Amino acid sequence: MMNQNTAKLIAIGAVLGVTASCGKGVPEVGDVISTTLTGTASVAAPLDSATVTLYEATNTLGRGDVLATAETDASGAFEVVYPETTGAGLACAAGGAFVDPATNSFVQLGSVERCAVINDLTAPEDVAISIWTELVR
């Protein structure tokens, strides 16, 4: 048989355990909720070490505020984590380098930039930034 003190300690431990586990995975006041945009950047081949900047898009699909930046890897892949927002966005890749498949030579892009429109920043899909997405914009 359990005495009253032991029963109280077990009850307090159970309440503390439930309380401690309740907050996991649930945002608290002051937490920044973020979203992730993934994709690839390429010209004639994948862009390595290009800087990808995600902007809020203006009504005319111009550049609004910068939301976040990331760098592409050797395969041109990137992942931009940004604060949750609504509306359209503009993902632009600048600089970087690639190996030209026709000549097998290394090409440094300098300040050359390509952009793609993101229709909905609340639920982004993988984006491809290329000369074709720049022409569509």
Side-chain angles (χ1 to χ4, degrees), residues 27 40-42 44 49 58 73 75 82 84 89 101 110 125 133:
T40 56
S42 63
S49 301
T58 64
D73 63 16
S75 67
Y82 59 96
E84 190 173 77
E125 298 180 9
T133 59

Side-chain angles (χ1 to χ4, degrees), residues 44-45 98-107:
F98 68 98
V99 176
D100 186 330
T103 63
N104 204 31
S105 59
F106 186 75
V107 179

Side-chain angles (χ1 to χ4, degrees), residues 37-47 50 52-54 72 75-80 89-94 113-119 124-137:
L37 173 70
T38 57
T40 56
S42 63
V43 180
L47 280 174
V52 176
T53 304
L54 180 62
T72 61
S75 67
F78 63 88
E79 181 177 289
V80 181
L90 195 62
C92 298
E113 181 180 72
R114 299 286 180 239
C115 298
V117 175
I118 314 303
N119 291 326
E125 298 180 9
D126 274 359
V127 63
I129 301 172
S130 71
I131 189 169
W132 304 113
T133 59
E134 181 68 21
L135 291 173
V136 172
R137 187 170 73 103

Side-chain angles (χ1 to χ4, degrees), residues 2 13 21 31 35 37 49 58-60 63 66 82 86 94 102 117 127:
M2 229 185 298
S21 67
D31 283 355
T35 306
L37 173 70
S49 301
T58 64
N59 291 339
T60 59
R63 294 177 186 167
V66 172
Y82 59 96
T86 59
V117 175
V127 63

Side-chain angles (χ1 to χ4, degrees), residues 4-57:
Q4 280 188 326
N5 287 339
T6 304
K8 286 179 186 178
L9 286 175
I10 290 173
I12 289 170
V15 168
L16 289 175
V18 169
T19 304
S21 67
C22 283
K24 294 182 180 176
V26 177
E28 295 183 17
V29 174
D31 283 355
V32 175
I33 300 172
S34 62
T35 306
T36 302
L37 173 70
T38 57
T40 56
S42 63
V43 180
L47 280 174
D48 184 14
S49 301
T51 300
V52 176
T53 304
L54 180 62
Y55 300 91
E56 286 183 310

